[in-house]
Amino acid sequence: METKILWEHIEQSGSEYLKISVDEKNVTAQGVVLFATKKDIHHITYSIIMDQNWLTRRVDIKEEGTQRVLSLYSDGKGNWRAGDEPLLEMQGAIDVDLSMTPFSNTLPINRFNWDEGQERELDMVYVEVPGFKLVKVKQHYTFLGNEGDLRKF
């Protein structure tokens, strides 16, 4: 199964093309993000590979036209590494949040079953783009309920 999405960024000039593929082993998201800052125009490509339970296993991010590349690996239990280097400061975070795409916020949303009004506080590996800086952050999600075929958080 394959889903294609096109987003327009409202907060800044830019857009994103996202393709989500699901097979018997993985959910794979591949995105191309274009956005402008006051200093430059950025062309970012990313791939997030998850297992069937939406647990992140691998994240690859690249800024086209630069040397900026980041590859992260997770065991799905909160242990992260960049190449062979363990990222101990990220320990306990299950999901990744890429600053330039709303898609990464759906990882914990799709990973859990939610009851209306339910709240969760989650540790995330936050990747600040375009700098590719990693920070472990807490994020709060509250399921507000269904609105037709849509779930509101």
Side-chain angles (χ1 to χ4, degrees):
M1 180 181 88
E2 194 173 270
T3 303
K4 296 177 183 177
I5 300 166
L6 182 66
W7 278 306
E8 178 183 355
H9 289 263
I10 297 171
E11 296 172 357
Q12 60 189 11
S13 179
S15 60
E16 175 177 355
Y17 166 75
L18 171 65
K19 180 175 75 171
I20 303 170
S21 304
V22 179
D23 63 28
E24 62 279 347
K25 285 178 54 177
N26 297 314
V27 177
T28 303
Q30 296 174 300
V32 177
V33 180
L34 302 170
F35 67 95
T37 61
K38 291 181 180 179
K39 295 181 180 180
D40 206 351
I41 298 172
H42 301 278
H43 175 182
I44 309 291
T45 58
Y46 72 91
S47 173
I48 303 174
I49 300 173
M50 299 151 283
D51 65 17
Q52 286 290 318
N53 297 313
W54 288 77
L55 290 168
T56 303
R57 299 309 183 144
R58 180 175 177 155
V59 178
D60 293 295
I61 311 168
K62 179 180 180 183
E63 182 168 7
E64 300 298 325
T66 74
Q67 299 297 314
R68 289 190 199 130
V69 176
L70 178 65
S71 292
L72 303 173
Y73 304 88
S74 173
D75 64 0
K77 298 175 185 171
N79 299 302
W80 292 84
R81 61 185 170 83
D84 293 330
E85 188 71 29
L87 298 172
L88 299 177
E89 63 277 10
M90 300 300 140
Q91 193 164 22
I94 302 298
D95 302 294
V96 66
D97 183 8
L98 309 180
S99 68
M100 79 292 177
T101 177
F103 168 72
S104 56
N105 292 111
T106 69
L107 302 183
I109 289 171
N110 287 312
R111 191 162 48 83
F112 290 111
N113 291 319
W114 294 83
D115 294 322
E116 190 168 331
Q118 185 174 12
E119 299 178 22
R120 286 193 164 98
E121 179 181 88
L122 304 165
D123 289 326
M124 309 287 282
V125 174
Y126 183 77
V127 182
E128 185 181 301
V129 177
F132 288 30
K133 179 182 175 186
L134 299 176
V135 182
K136 183 177 171 184
V137 299
K138 289 196 180 300
Q139 292 184 353
H140 302 269
Y141 291 80
T142 302
F143 178 49
L144 302 175
N146 293 316
E147 194 172 282
D149 291 342
L150 301 176
R151 297 183 298 165
K152 292 186 77 172
F153 284 85

